[in-house]
Amino acid sequence: MTATTARRLTARRVAAAALAVAALITGAAPAAAAAPAPAPAGTAAAPPAAGLGAHRATREALDAAVAAGAPGAVAGAVRGHRAWHGTAGAADLDTGKPRTPRDRFRVGSITKTFVATVLLQLEAEGRIDLDESVGSRLPGLVEGNGHDGSRVTIRQLLNHTSGIADYTADPDFGERVFGSGFPEHRYDTWTPQSLVQTAMKHAPDFPPGTAWGYSNTNYILAGLVIEEVTGRPYGREIERRILRPLHLRATSVPGTSAAMPRPSSRAYSTLGGAPSPDRDLHDVTELNPSIAWAAGEMISDTRDLQRFYRALFSGRLLPEAQMAALTDTVEVSPQAPEVRYGLGVMWRRLDCGTEIWGHGGGIHGSLSQVAVTEEATHSVAVNLNGDFAGDTAAVVRAEFCGRR
């Protein structure tokens, strides 16, 4: 294979991956149906007024997720000063216990917004420069197979333009953690350094700063940078700087604890198998979240996620300069101009014209999403307790556009 051919193949692979990851970030399950076609110009419906029936479409979208195969769904929304919640389906398929608005769940990659916020706070304090190299903070860690930490900036970690390989894409790791090996290895502890080393077995996806490619390795490194700068565990910094000040009592950084706090639902997965009427569902509620660490280990509920995002976008957590950096976005893909990525947050323009900021997260048995308008006057958070069916993005769209 010539170098030119290899570059072309890599470019096509990265573009395809960008589109696939955009769908993942917005919360669609692997088997979710294609999104409805955008409404013709001039026909986009305005969101309904607050009050009776204001969240009817959101409730219908929750029911649709369960009808599509998700075990259960929960959502919460705040419009102005009025809060709403809705549930559908089961928290426990064995007992039939329904989901509740207070359910806690694993939020997966929504963790990344918390991590980026802490790093931006450290920058505001003059303790770090986002344009310094990863190698200057973590020498010798990002090396091998074309990786060079001296050429990657911390900012590039946060907006996924580093090109660093994603450790979750490693076939052996994937089989052990996400596939048939999960039951045997669900309680294994992974160090963040070992996760980075898994990524270093593979070549970079592209030279730093030349493209966009979602990589969980970026946020493993970001968590390690927080620890290097502060001398404390990254989770403790999230607790000290965000969770306690905002009184996010349902939110936690579990570390290696496999149990879920109460109240919570059971979580279900097909472990990568194609969903079908006779599929085998696995209860994956308990797992050692060190497999995700700073890229996706956190636990929360719909109320806390909204409180965090509303505080973030109302300017309570970051100074003006850091808010500008947070919302300085890069292109995800030329084929998806309605989606752009900032520093741990994603901007989307919905087909009804509403612009929102948020993030999605997927981890074993859990699909989640949180979103807020830039003025922080309208927010929504949603979770499905299965990773194989349903579409959280459809719930978000229903809330902001007033229709499914």
Side-chain angles (χ1 to χ4, degrees):
M1 180 184 295
T2 67
T4 300
T5 301
R7 283 195 297 271
R8 287 173 179 167
L9 288 173
T10 298
R12 284 198 293 268
R13 180 168 60 85
V14 169
L19 288 174
V21 168
L24 176 61
I25 296 172
T26 53
T43 65
L52 184 63
H55 306 281
R56 182 177 293 114
T58 312
R59 187 178 296 280
E60 290 173 351
L62 292 177
D63 291 336
V66 174
V74 60
V78 176
R79 195 173 294 179
H81 298 289
R82 302 185 65 174
W84 169 91
H85 66 262
T87 64
D92 188 320
L93 292 176
D94 290 333
T95 67
K97 175 185 174 183
R99 296 210 67 177
T100 75
R102 293 289 185 181
D103 279 355
R104 301 180 187 186
F105 45 83
R106 301 188 191 279
V107 304
S109 286
I110 298 173
T111 302
K112 293 178 172 68
T113 311
F114 290 86
V115 171
T117 300
V118 169
L119 279 169
L120 284 161
Q121 289 178 341
L122 291 171
E123 182 193 53
E125 295 164 7
R127 301 174 67 181
I128 195 169
D129 183 342
L130 294 189
D131 293 315
E132 64 183 285
S133 74
V134 175
S136 68
R137 291 288 178 173
L138 306 173
L141 189 56
V142 182
E143 290 183 353
N145 288 310
H147 287 287
D148 182 354
S150 69
R151 298 178 57 216
V152 176
T153 68
I154 296 168
R155 190 184 308 274
Q156 289 168 342
L157 297 180
L158 299 183
N159 65 13
H160 293 296
T161 60
S162 72
I164 293 173
D166 187 352
Y167 74 93
T168 65
D170 178 82
D172 292 337
F173 180 87
E175 181 59 28
R176 186 175 180 181
V177 170
F178 304 114
S180 61
F182 172 79
E184 179 183 355
H185 296 288
R186 67 193 302 164
Y187 299 114
D188 291 358
T189 294
W190 298 78
T191 67
Q193 291 81 4
S194 71
L195 300 178
V196 175
Q197 289 165 6
T198 297
M200 294 301 105
K201 297 176 183 177
H202 305 276
D205 291 329
F206 48 81
T210 63
W212 185 89
Y214 193 84
S215 174
N216 288 289
T217 313
N218 288 328
Y219 275 78
I220 301 298
L221 292 164
L224 288 169
V225 170
I226 291 173
E227 297 192 344
E228 191 278 333
V229 173
T230 66
R232 288 183 289 269
Y234 94 93
R236 188 172 301 172
E237 286 299 295
I238 288 177
E239 292 167 357
R240 186 173 73 87
R241 294 168 174 271
I242 301 174
L243 304 191
R244 287 202 291 270
L246 295 181
H247 306 290
L248 305 184
R249 297 184 179 90
T251 305
S252 60
V253 186
T256 59
S257 175
M260 283 292 295
R262 295 180 179 178
S264 61
S265 297
R266 308 306 295 175
Y268 300 96
S269 178
T270 58
L271 297 182
S276 64
D278 59 348
R279 63 179 176 261
D280 289 328
L281 287 187
H282 301 265
D283 186 322
V284 295
T285 308
E286 289 193 357
L287 58 84
N288 185 327
S290 64
I291 57 170
W293 204 60
E297 74 167 290
M298 290 180 69
I299 292 169
S300 191
D301 69 2
T302 60
R303 285 175 171 83
D304 274 13
L305 289 178
Q306 291 181 89
R307 189 176 298 139
F308 167 52
Y309 257 78
R310 290 166 74 88
L312 180 60
F313 279 87
S314 63
R316 292 173 56 191
L317 296 175
L318 296 174
E320 185 175 345
Q322 279 66 44
M323 280 302 300
L326 178 87
T327 56
D328 183 15
T329 60
V330 295
E331 181 182 74
V332 168
S333 168
Q335 288 75 43
E338 73 285 356
V339 179
R340 295 180 65 87
Y341 202 90
L343 302 186
V345 295
M346 186 168 61
W347 171 89
R348 291 178 62 202
R349 182 185 292 115
L350 301 174
D351 62 3
C352 61
T354 300
E355 297 181 7
I356 57 175
W357 292 89
H359 212 288
I363 193 169
H364 302 69
S366 181
L367 291 175
S368 308
Q369 189 172 172
V370 59
V372 67
T373 54
E374 189 164 2
E375 301 79 14
T377 56
H378 190 180
S379 61
V380 66
V382 58
N383 171 260
L384 308 179
N385 61 330
D387 58 17
F388 51 88
D391 185 358
T392 61
V395 180
V396 170
R397 178 180 177 276
E399 175 61 28
F400 288 108
C401 295
R403 55 183 169 80
R404 293 204 293 126

